[in-house]
Amino acid sequence: MKSPGRYPLELKSYELDHRGSMPVWVMYRYLQEAAELNAVDLGFDTEALLSRSLTWMLARLQLRSGEPPAGRSRLIAETWPSGIVSRFAQRDFRLYVDGADTAFVAATSYWLLIDINRKRPVTVENILGREHIVDVPHAVADPFPAIQPAGDPVFSAEFRVRRSDLDMNDHVNNVHYVEWLAEAVPEDVWRGGGITELDVEYKRAAQFGDAVRIDTHVSCPGAYTHRMSAGGNDLVLARSVWVAR
């Protein structure tokens, strides 16, 4: 039976947050790096696809986090293509502190394969054959929730897209949306807590120079929904759950 890919990574001191631990956007960055390393191994990485005028676009990601590592740490990222559902390719992840038996991060993601010239999705199975699917349980079993921010926001923030936010597709890299989301909560929530659950649904990509606005709403104690928009169009809808740390 095919096995998940496993990749050693190292958490750097400059990636730690104000508590000296791994923040959610760095977790996200490591998932993205592991996905690319595994895609290279399997032959459908970003650079290989761009040569064919194709690219991956992240559509949804569900992340669940336990206690993150503190200080510089050696990590193991585990990732695998986990399914094809309609037009989406699924990819799952786990992050471990090296030597630990239990993952401190689990995530399940959904990706579209985009024809760059036509700006439309293409059939995933043309690139990701079912022979690449690893038949193990999903890292996150929860169904993706319907995210519907409602009521008056309890916090709002605005960001201007910089050149350094852009990726090889000339769009804002997925990680930066999560950086912005993590800042779009009241100061006491951010300073005193960390994210244990994060569900992100990408609607469209931001471009250089866009003014991005995030409105954050309380859905229940410790849980928030977020609407990220630019020019009146939704970019991202998200749900986050925070706990004191």
Side-chain angles (χ1 to χ4, degrees), residues 147-168:
I147 302 173
Q148 298 176 327
D152 295 328
V154 296
F155 192 89
S156 297
E158 291 190 357
F159 301 88
R160 179 73 66 173
V161 176
R162 309 164 301 173
R163 291 186 177 90
S164 59
D165 296 324
L166 305 179
D167 59 18
M168 285 191 287

Side-chain angles (χ1 to χ4, degrees), residues 38-108:
N38 189 240
V40 168
D41 288 346
L42 298 175
F44 44 78
D45 56 282
T46 301
E47 292 184 25
L49 291 179
L50 284 174
S51 69
R52 302 167 61 179
S53 297
L54 299 170
T55 192
W56 291 111
M57 185 177 79
L58 182 59
R60 292 176 174 178
L61 188 137
Q62 295 177 273
L63 180 148
R64 303 293 181 262
S65 173
E67 188 67 29
R72 291 178 294 172
S73 303
R74 293 185 182 277
L75 307 176
I76 298 293
E78 190 175 72
T79 185
W80 63 98
S82 56
I84 298 174
V85 178
S86 183
R87 57 182 180 163
F88 296 100
Q90 293 176 290
R91 174 174 286 279
D92 283 41
F93 306 85
R94 293 192 180 94
L95 285 180
Y96 300 82
V97 174
D98 194 11
D101 295 327
T102 303
F104 68 92
V105 167
T108 294

Side-chain angles (χ1 to χ4, degrees), residues 136-238:
V136 298
H138 286 297
V140 178
D142 304 336
F144 197 90
I147 302 173
Q148 298 176 327
D152 295 328
V154 296
F155 192 89
S156 297
E158 291 190 357
F159 301 88
R160 179 73 66 173
V161 176
R162 309 164 301 173
R163 291 186 177 90
S164 59
D165 296 324
L166 305 179
D167 59 18
M168 285 191 287
N169 298 314
D170 209 28
H171 296 151
V172 173
N173 186 278
N174 302 321
V175 172
H176 296 303
Y177 295 105
V178 176
E179 292 173 346
W180 299 337
L181 286 170
E183 290 198 33
V185 291
E187 175 71 10
D188 60 326
V189 175
W190 180 83
R191 188 157 295 280
I195 291 177
T196 59
E197 299 183 19
L198 182 63
D199 300 309
V200 183
E201 182 174 8
Y202 293 89
K203 296 292 192 179
R204 64 176 65 211
Q207 311 284 337
F208 170 67
D210 282 350
V212 175
R213 178 183 176 88
I214 306 175
D215 290 320
T216 296
H217 307 253
V218 175
S219 56
C220 62
Y224 300 87
T225 55
H226 313 267
R227 182 186 302 276
M228 187 182 302
S229 61
N233 297 310
D234 285 348
L235 303 174
V236 167
L237 296 176

